[in-house]
Amino acid sequence: MRILILICLSCFVTGNLYAQEVPNIIVEQQLENITENNEDVETEDDSYLQEMIQFQRNPVNINTAEEALLKELRVLSPMQIQNLVSYRTLLGKLVSIYELQAVPGWDLQTIRRIRPYIAVSNETRLIETIGTRIMQGDNSLLVRVSQTLEKSRGYLLDPATTKNYYPGSPQKVFVRFKHVY
């Protein structure tokens, strides 16, 4: 009985757990580091903090991001941005976040700083892929027709009304179309 009560209490006590969330303390620490290095006079404004929280909620896709968007992060140097764009041009889209280590000029510290604000995904637009999904998918069509040779009572004509009890035909038609992409 005590074990059951402990299990119930532990279920109610535990809260929601979220994986890989970056606390706002890290964002604030980055804000302090950047303003300290840039010697900005306008540090009273929290617009940078708001931008970083927005990037945290909606990470930038590193495979499709343009130079201007990467500059908005204010974490990367112009050389690092140019190296990333050149890397994508030469070798194609990144497969994983770990591939950033292969980009010249990117070190682990930079990747750790920018990690909360970026994502590596190969987004494809639905309009572009509908045609390829239809044309390159595997299709199968199964049609089955069956009928019981013996007549059921419902299909026998009622002499008083000259109608079948069951409307329709005694044949059963089964159709299945399957498309796999």
Side-chain angles (χ1 to χ4, degrees):
M1 183 66 179
R2 289 181 185 176
I3 294 174
L4 182 62
I5 293 172
L6 287 174
I7 291 172
C8 290
L9 285 176
S10 67
C11 290
F12 291 117
V13 171
T14 57
N16 294 334
L17 301 175
Y18 298 100
Q20 297 181 356
E21 279 200 13
V22 178
N24 286 337
I25 297 169
I26 295 173
V27 177
E28 291 172 3
Q29 183 65 38
Q30 286 184 358
L31 175 64
E32 288 177 16
N33 291 342
I34 288 174
T35 55
E36 183 178 301
N37 293 339
N38 291 341
E39 298 179 5
D40 262 341
V41 179
E42 300 178 17
T43 57
E44 307 275 326
D45 188 10
D46 71 339
S47 63
Y48 176 72
L49 181 61
Q50 296 299 323
E51 288 175 10
M52 290 292 107
I53 291 172
Q54 184 64 28
F55 283 129
Q56 196 175 10
R57 289 183 185 149
N58 301 315
V60 174
N61 184 359
I62 203 83
N63 281 331
T64 58
E66 297 177 3
E67 288 184 42
L69 185 58
L70 293 171
K71 285 179 186 177
E72 286 181 27
L73 289 172
R74 299 183 199 168
V75 177
L76 301 172
S77 69
M79 182 196 71
Q80 289 172 326
I81 294 172
Q82 187 59 40
N83 286 346
L84 176 65
V85 172
S86 300
Y87 184 88
R88 285 190 319 206
T89 305
L90 291 173
L91 301 172
K93 294 182 178 182
L94 283 83
V95 178
S96 169
I97 194 78
Y98 302 111
E99 192 175 349
L100 285 173
Q101 295 176 20
V103 177
W106 286 60
D107 57 349
L108 287 175
Q109 183 181 6
T110 303
I111 296 170
R112 284 188 190 120
R113 271 194 327 226
I114 200 169
R115 176 65 188 107
Y117 315 113
I118 63 169
V120 176
S121 64
N122 294 321
E123 292 183 55
T124 54
R125 294 192 175 111
L126 183 61
I127 294 172
E128 295 172 356
T129 62
I130 286 178
T132 56
R133 288 181 184 196
I134 291 172
M135 300 304 289
Q136 295 178 0
D138 295 325
N139 300 313
S140 64
L141 178 66
L142 175 66
V143 179
R144 186 183 319 154
V145 179
S146 64
Q147 178 178 354
T148 307
L149 294 176
E150 296 176 6
K151 288 210 171 195
S152 300
R153 269 200 256 165
Y155 288 111
L156 297 175
L157 289 175
D158 185 14
T161 60
T162 65
K163 289 187 178 179
N164 293 341
Y165 179 74
Y166 298 129
S169 170
Q171 286 128 1
K172 299 174 194 168
V173 179
F174 175 78
V175 178
R176 181 189 326 171
F177 176 76
K178 186 177 180 183
H179 178 80
V180 179
Y181 177 75

